[in-house]
Amino acid sequence: MEEMKDIRQDFYVNMGPQHPSTHGVLRIVLRVEGEKVISSETVLGYAHRGVEKMAESKTYVQMMPVMDRFDYVSSMLYEWAYVGAMERALGIAPPERAEFIRVIMGELNRMASHFLWVGAFLLDLGAFTPFLWVFDARERILDMFEEVTGQRMTNNYFKVGGVHYDITSEFMKMLNDFLKMIHERMQDVEVLIESIIFLERVKDLGFITKEDVLNYGLSGPVARGSGVFIDTRKTEPYSVYDRINFEIPLGTRGDCYDRYRVRMQEILQSAKIIEQAVEMLPEGPYTEKAPKIVKLPEGEYYFAVESARGLLGVYLLSDGSTKPYRFKLRVPSFANLSIIDKLLPGNKISDVVAILGSIDIVVPEIDR
Amino acid sequence: MELTSLLNTFLGKVIISVAGVMVVFTFNALIAVWLERKISGHIQLRLGPMEVGPHGLLQSAADGLKLICKEIITPQGVDKKLFGVAPYMVFFPSLLMFIVIPFSDRLQVQDLNIGLLYFFSISCIATIGIFMAGWASNNKYSLMGAVRSIAQSIAYEIPIILSILNIVVLTQSLKLSEIVKAQSNMWFIIPQFVPFIIYLISAIAELNRTPFDIPEAESELVAGFHTEYSGMRFAIFFMAEYTNMFLVSAMATTLFLGGWNGPLLPPIVWFFIKTYAIVFIIIWVRWTFPRLRPDQLMNFCWKFLTPLALINLLVTTFILKLF
């Protein structure tokens, strides 16, 4: 028996940075015993480009397109946070119409991001078909973006004082068609996804308690899946969200299934928000007159929006010049990922991808 | 005259059989891959291959040509002999399994007395090939895939054998031609529906296909046991997989769907219709469900399928004894 103890049964598996389900270049070093994970260590930095430092040598306007490239699946929400911080500093309020256009675009982008997540999550679990079913819906959103902004993903659409282009009648037609089909499509997707195998895989897996949510600073669907009411759109309403009637879906148990349910319901809630915003959309200018060269007055500015992944904050420290003295992002993926090393031990290797998938990370956002 | 006499010798028979098997083998690999891509495409709101040939019919041939042209890469640190032999260890059993398949009342390479036993014993050899591939690759993902494959094969052999034992009990024969003839009045799927389902589930597990594709689970183990394989060696794994899919479907046809029995159409046409219907179901299942976790897979086999198959066998023998 003594000799047996000396034989090490555990070994290390290097998951990533090149791995199909680490969603980019994330690396997780797993110590496993057979299929069981004993401990894990997350290694970051493979997509680090030093963008926060780079921002200090670029003017505020030059930084605008770079904001799209952190979280490339919900880029508009990133633009919103950055533009919001600058508008707060300059004391500019965008016109009504611009605010509603921003809400429509932001919610569409949240839907696109959640669609991508649903597809990728099921891909992690080994089902290929839901990926393409939701991509069909996501493709329609990207087509709408292309119609208005000229770009499908990195839109560079928001600007200080409003948006770059007005929405077109063609866009409104596409949007109406989309809103009509979305409920039916979501039902189809749910029927396809929620097979008994899926439920067996994701239920009672990767519990996050309410205490953990607060201790680790989690936000977004990950926090709401555990039943914690954190949503910047409700708790600190920005733009016109206080005038729109919508609900925040909450989970009860905090397992992977709850996080999945929360995101699926959020897609429908986003559709509800868009429907209201379209109805309330006023006529008028879509942009306010704003200075060509943005110079923020000296001081610290912070603006937070609810990105598709959680609380996204932009912090700007200005010395009064055309460039920020310090530029800092509070990104949701980074905080949400921090709990992964607590969730993984004790689970099987197959569950690693399920838990990681349920957290919904975007690596360029984490590494910046 | 000389040709016919040559064909009647033993050697002639062997040559014709090998040629025939190779034709069916190649034809099936091309058709099954094309079918899979087309069916998956239509399930996923897209068209699948459309460019090469009408409706992409020649796509598999083009892909095959590409794979043949690729360089054979042997990674550093692998066990070269095992690494090279492994694909053939997976490939040859599937060729050998063709020998006993009764394509029609007259078209069968060798009607062995123990045809059924032969088929399922040969099919087990492929698992050794998979383990060799995983072991020789010098890659942790491959090794884990190989270990999973062994566990899965051992587990799912048992419900398969238990479910086909029902057929053996009914016909009192292991000879496949006799099993088919016994179904001329009624297909065995009607009295033996539960074993058919058990067989189908276990067969999908034996094939390592979704939802039981844990040995090559691409989102967990990159590509499992064939992570390090490329070019022709990968193509051989690939072809073996699709051949095995055809073979288990052919066996399901023979055992449960009445084999080549059927009205109007010639027997061989009936055989292929039924076989590809099963192939279609297997493809359909693959593109619908997510993957099971290895421990759930084991639980499902040992705690549900095996007892169910046992109970079914008990009931079958009991009823047979009564009447």
Side-chain angles (χ1 to χ4, degrees), chain B residues 133-148:
Chain B
W135 183 261
S137 285
N138 189 28
N139 180 323
K140 282 170 190 168
Y141 290 122
S142 300
L143 182 61
M144 280 160 93
V147 170
R148 284 178 174 194

Side-chain angles (χ1 to χ4, degrees), chain A residues 11-16 19-21 32 34-35 122-129 132-133 136 185 192-193 195 197-198 200-201 205 348-351 353, chain B residues 40 42-46 140-141 143-145 147-148 210-214 217-223 284 286-296:
Chain A
F11 59 97
Y12 286 90
V13 173
N14 218 343
M15 208 165 170
H19 189 277
S21 26
V32 294
E35 289 270 343
L122 266 291
L123 211 53
D124 287 347
L125 294 176
F128 204 91
T129 304
L132 284 131
W133 280 36
D136 180 62
R185 170 55 54 85
L192 174 67
I193 290 176
S195 60
I197 297 176
F198 173 77
E200 283 285 318
R201 282 295 303 273
L205 178 67
K348 304 280 191 297
I349 285 189
S350 307
D351 290 337
V353 290
Chain B
S40 71
H42 284 279
I43 288 177
Q44 295 168 352
L45 312 172
R46 56 192 177 90
K140 282 170 190 168
Y141 290 122
L143 182 61
M144 280 160 93
V147 170
R148 284 178 174 194
T210 317
F212 306 103
D213 63 339
I214 57 163
E218 79 279 347
S219 58
E220 297 152 25
L221 303 182
V222 189
W284 184 13
R286 171 171 183 185
W287 297 106
T288 308
F289 289 115
R291 183 185 307 121
L292 279 164
R293 212 166 56 207
D295 57 319
Q296 288 169 344

Side-chain angles (χ1 to χ4, degrees), chain B residues 209-282:
Chain B
R209 285 173 69 86
T210 317
F212 306 103
D213 63 339
I214 57 163
E216 46 194 283
E218 79 279 347
S219 58
E220 297 152 25
L221 303 182
V222 189
F225 64 89
H226 60 63
T227 306
E228 298 289 354
Y229 282 90
S230 62
M232 202 51 211
R233 283 171 176 164
F234 168 74
I236 288 170
F237 275 124
F238 198 66
M239 283 204 292
E241 191 188 319
Y242 281 91
T243 311
N244 284 335
M245 188 163 90
F246 175 82
L247 284 165
V248 297
S249 309
M251 194 44 76
T253 308
T254 309
L255 296 178
F256 294 99
L257 297 182
W260 36 261
N261 284 312
L264 296 173
L265 293 170
I268 189 156
V269 176
W270 271 113
F271 179 83
F272 276 103
I273 289 175
K274 290 170 185 173
T275 303
Y276 277 102
I278 305 271
V279 167
F280 174 75
I281 292 175
I282 294 175

Side-chain angles (χ1 to χ4, degrees), chain A residues 9-30:
Chain A
Q9 297 283 318
D10 57 327
F11 59 97
Y12 286 90
V13 173
N14 218 343
M15 208 165 170
Q18 303 280 330
H19 189 277
S21 26
T22 51
H23 300 271
V25 283
L26 176 71
R27 176 175 164 214
I28 303 177
V29 183
L30 296 170

Side-chain angles (χ1 to χ4, degrees), chain A residues 3 20 22 67 75 85 95 98 116 125 149 160 221 260 265 300 347:
Chain A
E3 283 170 15
T22 51
M67 293 308 292
S75 51
L116 179 74
L125 294 176
T149 70
V160 176
Y260 155 80
Q265 285 164 23
E300 291 176 85
N347 284 308

Side-chain angles (χ1 to χ4, degrees), chain B residues 25-41 48-49 55-64 67 209 234-235 237-243 245-246 276 279 283 286-287:
Chain B
F25 175 82
T26 325
F27 175 77
N28 165 68
L30 293 179
I31 290 297
V33 174
W34 178 79
L35 266 182
E36 169 121 90
R37 296 185 62 176
K38 274 313 229 195
I39 293 169
S40 71
H55 286 264
L57 256 174
L58 298 175
Q59 184 67 49
S60 338
D63 287 347
L67 284 169
R209 285 173 69 86
F234 168 74
F237 275 124
F238 198 66
M239 283 204 292
E241 191 188 319
Y242 281 91
T243 311
M245 188 163 90
F246 175 82
Y276 277 102
V279 167
I283 292 173
R286 171 171 183 185
W287 297 106

